[in-house]
Amino acid sequence: MQQYEITKDMIKNSVLKSNEMGELSGSLLEGKGNAWGFLGEEVAAKALNAERNNTYDYDLVLEDGSKVEVKTQRVSS
């Protein structure tokens, strides 16, 4: 398993993006999970050496032009 350090800057950027986006309609966590999702995108971008391009259809673009939608699951263990 590969491990990646989550930096203070990554957390700060994720929270800022979450605040900019606000609460989505129908959000089960009332927008409180958005920062976790953006943090997942930060880590995935670093792991895949990808460009972040957050659109409705995808979040990352790989070097070969492939597009990736990132999903993050928050767990307690």
Side-chain angles (χ1 to χ4, degrees):
M1 172 177 26
Q2 185 70 38
Q3 294 184 355
Y4 295 92
E5 179 183 359
I6 296 174
T7 66
K8 290 181 182 180
D9 282 341
M10 292 169 102
I11 294 169
K12 179 182 170 184
N13 290 338
S14 298
V15 170
L16 287 173
K17 287 183 180 285
S18 175
N19 290 340
E20 287 175 8
M21 186 171 76
E23 181 182 341
L24 297 176
S25 178
S27 172
L28 295 175
L29 297 176
E30 299 173 341
K32 294 179 179 86
N34 295 345
W36 291 102
F38 284 120
L39 185 57
E41 291 175 15
E42 291 262 357
V43 173
K46 183 175 183 178
L48 299 171
N49 193 30
E51 178 185 333
R52 293 191 68 199
N53 189 4
N54 196 345
T55 70
Y56 180 79
D57 295 316
Y58 58 91
D59 301 312
L60 307 176
V61 179
L62 303 180
E63 290 177 348
D64 68 359
S66 299
K67 296 172 180 127
V68 178
E69 174 69 14
V70 177
K71 296 297 178 188
T72 303
Q73 184 174 5
R74 188 176 72 165
V75 297
S76 62
S77 61

